[in-house]
């Protein structure tokens, strides 16, 4: 009976994991991450010890794990990459990681998507609100990075009424996101976000990563401005 239950449950998992939605993690800091995998070795059956449930089985889903690793880590030099943005005249301009960080103390933080609720209501506004305090602590540059095009980032900046407190930069092709290993695949989700970036914040000095707060998927727990302020 245990083998039959395990087979049925495994079939259910294989058919449902492709449709499990993680977009909630973009919109609510209490929701689940999108990056989970199932390992048959970690799916365990536990016999319940209580007499009145002796014949019942309980599945331990420790197999659903969320990866929080990335290619980049503390002590590494940030790979150079090019970002785009619109200037005040509406012309497309570019800047690089080197421009933002060389000889400077810089904060780079990423969001899964412009105009998404958690990014718009919490993550970016938090850095805007704390920008003066961060700069008083020696931070030269605060930049938000997203896998959106420069036109979307410009419209989002206007919508949020952000001035020069925080730069909103486009990693349109995801080159920087891929280079540091923080891609978030949301291509099979109903909202059709495609390949985006996981949420994170980085404090870098002269291009060297000093602090890396990497979230699980689009969750928002430790990558905000407050967490970096505590470390400065």
């Amino acid at each position: 009976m245990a083998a039959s239950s395990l087979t049925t449950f495994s079939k259910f998992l294989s058919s449902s994991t492709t449709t499990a939605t993680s977009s909630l993690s973009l919109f609510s800091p209490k929701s689940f991450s999108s990056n989970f995998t199932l390992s048959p070795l970690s799916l365990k059956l536990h016999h319940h010890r209580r007499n009145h449930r002796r014949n019942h089985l309980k599945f331990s889903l420790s197999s659903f794990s969320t990866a929080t690793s990335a290619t980049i880590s503390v002590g590494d030099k940030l790979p150079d990459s090019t970002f785009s943005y619109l200037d005040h005249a509406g012309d497309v301009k570019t800047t690089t990681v080197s421009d933002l960080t060389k000889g400077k103390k810089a904060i780079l933080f990423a969001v899964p998507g412009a105009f998404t609720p958690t990014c718009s209501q919490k993550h970016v506004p938090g850095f805007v609100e704390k920008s003066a305090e961060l700069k008083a602590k020696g931070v030269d540059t605060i930049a938000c990075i997203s896998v959106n095009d420069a036109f979307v980032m410009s419209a989002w900046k206007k919508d949020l009424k952000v001035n020069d407190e925080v730069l909103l930069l486009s990693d349109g092709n995801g080159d920087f996101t891929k280079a540091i290993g923080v891609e978030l695949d949301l291509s099979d989700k109903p909202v059709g976000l495609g390949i985006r970036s996981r949420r994170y914040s980085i404090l870098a000095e002269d291009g060297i990563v000093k602090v890396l707060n990497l979230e699980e998927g689009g969750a928002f727990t430790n990558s905000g401005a407050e967490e970096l302020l505590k470390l400065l």
Side-chain angles (χ1 to χ4, degrees):
M1 180 177 176
S4 175
S5 298
L6 181 56
T7 301
T8 301
F9 189 71
S10 297
K11 289 180 179 178
F12 168 75
L13 288 174
S14 64
S15 65
S16 62
T17 51
T18 58
T19 58
T21 178
S22 67
S23 59
L24 289 176
S25 62
L26 306 182
F27 311 138
S28 170
K30 294 183 180 180
S31 55
F32 295 105
S33 166
S34 65
N35 293 329
F36 58 81
T37 56
L38 178 65
S39 170
L41 294 177
S42 59
L43 182 62
K44 300 178 181 179
L45 292 174
H46 300 282
H47 287 283
H48 203 289
R49 290 187 174 87
R50 294 181 183 176
N51 291 334
H52 69 284
R53 298 186 65 187
R54 187 178 301 275
N55 294 324
H56 289 262
L57 295 173
K58 179 174 67 174
F59 288 100
S60 174
L61 297 183
S62 58
S63 52
F64 286 99
S65 61
T66 49
T68 52
S69 61
T71 303
I72 199 76
S73 60
V74 172
D76 291 345
K77 184 174 180 60
L78 289 169
D80 207 11
S81 192
T82 300
F83 306 116
S84 61
Y85 64 96
L86 299 189
D87 65 10
H88 294 297
D91 296 324
V92 177
K93 301 293 184 181
T94 61
T95 187
T96 65
V97 172
S98 180
D99 294 334
L100 297 169
T101 64
K102 188 175 181 179
K104 301 174 184 176
K105 184 179 289 187
I107 290 173
L108 306 181
F109 70 98
V111 297
F115 290 102
T116 56
T118 298
C119 306
S120 298
Q121 297 167 11
K122 297 178 181 293
H123 207 178
V124 174
F127 276 99
V128 172
E129 181 183 345
K130 298 295 181 181
S131 61
E133 292 178 59
L134 289 166
K135 290 179 179 179
K137 295 281 188 178
V139 174
D140 300 292
T141 305
I142 306 173
C144 172
I145 299 164
S146 183
V147 183
N148 289 104
D149 63 70
F151 298 95
V152 168
M153 295 299 282
S154 178
W156 192 33
K157 179 179 179 179
K158 292 176 183 177
D159 185 69
L160 294 175
K161 296 179 173 58
V162 176
N163 295 311
D164 297 324
E165 305 95 337
V166 175
L167 302 173
L168 269 64
L169 303 176
S170 163
D171 182 25
N173 294 322
D175 293 338
F176 180 71
T177 298
K178 294 171 187 173
I180 65 173
V182 293
E183 304 99 311
L184 179 62
D185 188 355
L186 299 174
S187 57
D188 62 339
K189 306 303 179 260
V191 287
L193 293 176
I195 304 298
R196 296 301 181 99
S197 172
R198 288 165 62 187
R199 196 185 302 279
Y200 64 81
S201 61
I202 290 174
L203 174 65
E205 294 184 17
D206 196 26
I208 304 300
V209 178
K210 298 298 182 180
V211 177
L212 170 61
N213 293 330
L214 180 63
E215 303 276 13
E216 297 179 352
F220 182 53
T221 59
N222 67 350
S223 61
E226 289 282 2
E227 283 68 31
L228 290 180
L229 262 178
K230 295 172 185 177
L231 301 174
L232 290 170

